[in-house]
Amino acid sequence: MLTTDGAVATIRFNRPRQHNRLDSADIAALHERIESAEADPALRVLVLTGSGPSFSSGYDLGAAQNSERAAPDADSCDDGEVAFSRLCDRVEAIRMPTICALNGGVYGGSTDLALACDFRVGVTGMRMRMPAAQLGIHFYPSGLRRYVSRLGLATTKRLFLTAETIGAEEMLRVGFLDRLVEPDGLDAAVAELAGRIAACAPQATAGIKRSLNELARGTLDDRAGEAAFRASLHSDEFADALKAWSQRRPS
């Protein structure tokens, strides 16, 4: 479900009885909602959240296995974990900053979906777990890259190679969460963060986000970054912001 409130768009997972488990139809629907949000220039922040006790229990592995049996050759099986990895890559590449409002536990591939967002706000009492190795799954490369770039190699090894469940305080300590709040304070915390982001210049924000993600992947083009910096100094966005800043300063 996609809703908008001013400059903020929210995509909410709404299958609480299944702990917001995602299937191939959900992935297709999420791509559509992301495209819709990105196409609206008035939107400056995208929030991902869920309903019920969990943010998401990840991709439906039973459906993935059935799909693989029906289409055992890799070329004909373009759903499942492959499609899920592409969804996470798409979330990471969204032009506007993203906030994952973790209303509850997050498990499996959905931990990567959360890491693909720019900010993660969680609630006390939540937990996370990455059971890939326990389930015999070699996790996809872009997800491993996100884990290492966000959490570091040691923490990534701990979470993947032990399948350990960790709680909210530990999630905050290792950097999975940027902020931890009581459940009844989640909406207010996310709204405050979204307001701060939306108040920044959108073109500069999008460009900085893109460059930071490229830097994390080791693909940053310094020349392109320098050109973007110089172009920003001659932009209407900068001129307008500078004018507004000077009007706020005491004479």
Side-chain angles (χ1 to χ4, degrees):
M1 180 171 64
L2 173 66
T3 59
T4 60
D5 182 9
V8 181
T10 299
I11 294 176
R12 181 180 297 274
F13 304 151
N14 197 24
R15 197 176 290 155
R17 290 186 178 181
Q18 290 76 37
H19 295 274
N20 297 317
R21 186 174 61 244
L22 301 174
D23 58 27
S24 58
D26 297 321
I27 291 174
L30 284 167
H31 277 289
E32 291 177 1
R33 284 155 178 75
I34 289 169
E35 293 297 329
S36 178
E38 273 213 306
D40 187 344
L43 296 176
R44 298 190 179 186
V45 183
L46 177 64
V47 177
L48 296 184
T49 192
S51 300
S54 302
F55 168 69
S56 176
S57 58
Y59 184 71
D60 186 348
L61 294 176
Q65 187 179 48
N66 291 336
S67 175
E68 180 66 21
R69 286 173 177 170
D73 59 299
D75 290 339
S76 65
C77 186
D78 194 29
D79 55 1
E81 290 282 298
V82 174
F84 190 87
S85 72
R86 290 175 179 171
L87 172 66
C88 294
D89 292 344
R90 182 68 184 88
V91 169
E92 183 180 62
I94 294 171
R95 64 163 173 85
M96 66 190 81
T98 50
I99 303 171
C100 191
L102 290 152
N103 54 292
V106 57
Y107 308 98
S110 286
T111 61
D112 183 39
L113 184 63
L115 287 173
C117 294
D118 299 302
F119 301 95
R120 288 161 297 284
V121 182
V123 296
T124 55
M126 70 174 297
R127 301 189 300 173
M128 71 161 288
R129 183 168 180 257
M130 170 45 74
Q134 191 174 59
L135 295 173
I137 297 172
H138 188 300
F139 210 64
Y140 48 88
S142 63
L144 294 175
R145 184 203 69 230
R146 263 185 295 273
Y147 255 86
V148 172
S149 68
R150 271 62 161 179
L151 306 182
L153 181 60
T155 296
T156 300
K157 285 184 175 180
R158 171 190 171 190
L159 294 173
F160 271 89
L161 304 185
T162 70
E164 177 184 359
T165 299
I166 64 172
E169 295 291 344
E170 184 69 359
M171 292 168 70
L172 181 66
R173 190 190 71 79
V174 300
F176 188 92
L177 297 177
D178 298 294
R179 187 174 176 185
L180 181 63
V181 299
E182 295 295 328
D184 60 2
L186 180 62
D187 290 345
V190 171
E192 189 271 339
L193 177 57
R196 288 181 176 272
I197 296 169
C200 294
Q203 293 178 23
T205 298
I208 292 170
K209 169 182 170 169
R210 182 173 58 253
S211 290
L212 288 173
N213 281 338
E214 290 171 352
L215 182 63
R217 293 193 296 268
T219 60
L220 179 64
D221 184 330
D222 285 347
R223 290 185 178 180
E226 182 72 20
F229 164 64
R230 292 183 180 277
S232 72
L233 298 180
H234 300 283
S235 67
D236 292 339
E237 191 174 77
F238 174 63
D240 292 343
L242 192 62
K243 181 179 179 181
W245 181 270
S246 64
Q247 291 174 345
R248 289 197 299 265
R249 291 186 303 181
S251 58

